Amino acid sequence: METSLQTQIIALAAMCQAAKLVQSVARSSESQQAQLEIILGSVVNLTPATPLDIYGGELSNLRQGLELLIEQLGDKPKKDVELTRYLVGVLGLERRLNKNKNNMNELGQQLSQLERQLQHFSVTDETIVGKLADIYSECISSLGARIQIYGQPELLSQSSVQHKVRALLLAAVRAAVLWRQAGGSRLNFIFKRRKLVAAAEAALASL
């Protein structure tokens, strides 16, 4: 598999997995600790040796994302329309961010400052999740085209759930940045869809 294609698959799988976690957090109070650690950890991993290191260095950490990617891009009629809406929204926000150098620079600075706090807290600690949510609000959702989240109203009214959702959307945008860096674009979904699906299937089969 070409390095750029492999990186594109990692990025898309991570984006799918982050979006799925947004759905889960908005609908259920069930703990998603292990998944949250992997996805939120990607945002604060600022100096990875390889793209896969962003997600803990193991492709198996993105198994669910690979499965979702195949479902969403494959030929089977079963699609998650809500998940697709989130993914389209995330890609749109990343495009806006990419065009706004001030917000991009501010995002980098705030994430660098967060590194110091991570010496004392885990990435899933409420303090860190809240800070990630603030960074998303200040640097990304302020660009406009906010993503509407669907779920249980009693959960979505809780500040802790709102923070998790925003932190996960930040992680999804981080994956979208990786997608762009690996040469991904909207045209890939039109002209290289089968190639992407085949690569994701091969990656899943290797686990």
Side-chain angles (χ1 to χ4, degrees):
M1 198 187 298
E2 315 159 19
T3 304
S4 61
L5 181 58
Q6 187 174 34
T7 303
Q8 286 178 24
I9 293 305
I10 290 169
L12 289 176
M15 210 187 320
C16 287
Q17 203 155 304
K20 189 66 177 179
L21 272 171
V22 168
Q23 284 185 319
S24 299
V25 167
R27 282 183 163 80
S28 169
S29 56
E30 182 183 339
S31 175
Q32 304 273 357
Q33 193 73 4
Q35 288 279 4
L36 284 169
E37 283 182 12
I38 292 165
I39 297 301
L40 295 184
S42 70
V43 182
V44 295
N45 188 343
L46 303 181
T47 54
T50 69
L52 194 55
D53 283 343
I54 299 169
Y55 302 99
E58 298 289 340
L59 191 59
S60 57
N61 288 337
L62 296 174
R63 179 189 294 273
Q64 184 190 40
L66 289 168
E67 292 170 347
L68 289 167
L69 176 58
I70 293 165
E71 285 177 10
Q72 293 299 103
L73 290 185
D75 292 327
K76 293 181 181 178
K78 182 185 175 186
K79 312 285 183 191
D80 186 331
V81 176
E82 183 183 293
L83 191 71
T84 300
R85 191 179 296 120
Y86 290 163
L87 295 173
V88 169
V90 165
L91 289 166
L93 281 173
E94 189 280 330
R95 283 196 299 275
R96 287 171 181 253
L97 178 64
N98 187 60
K99 293 174 182 176
N100 192 309
K101 299 307 175 188
N102 289 336
N103 283 46
M104 184 71 89
N105 291 336
E106 179 65 20
L107 176 61
Q109 289 173 11
Q110 292 208 32
L111 289 176
S112 295
Q113 291 168 7
L114 193 61
E115 277 189 308
R116 289 195 295 273
Q117 286 182 272
L118 284 165
Q119 294 171 6
H120 309 286
F121 299 98
S122 74
V123 74
T124 56
D125 185 273
E126 285 188 10
T127 302
I128 300 298
V129 173
K131 182 58 181 173
L132 290 172
D134 288 343
I135 292 172
Y136 174 79
S137 295
E138 292 170 22
C139 300
I140 297 176
S141 66
S142 61
L143 294 169
R146 294 187 179 186
I147 299 172
Q148 184 175 355
I149 303 302
Y150 303 89
Q152 299 294 332
E154 63 271 22
L155 286 175
L156 290 173
S157 65
Q158 298 173 19
S159 59
S160 60
V161 172
Q162 293 169 10
H163 290 167
K164 278 183 186 176
V165 165
R166 292 186 186 118
L168 287 165
L169 288 174
L170 178 60
V173 171
R174 194 271 174 269
V177 169
L178 180 62
W179 158 253
R180 179 187 291 275
Q181 290 171 338
S185 71
R186 281 180 289 183
L187 291 177
N188 289 46
F189 294 118
I190 300 170
F191 298 113
K192 296 185 178 180
R193 182 176 61 86
R194 291 184 184 280
K195 193 173 183 180
L196 289 169
V197 171
E201 288 173 340
L204 190 60
S206 71
L207 299 179

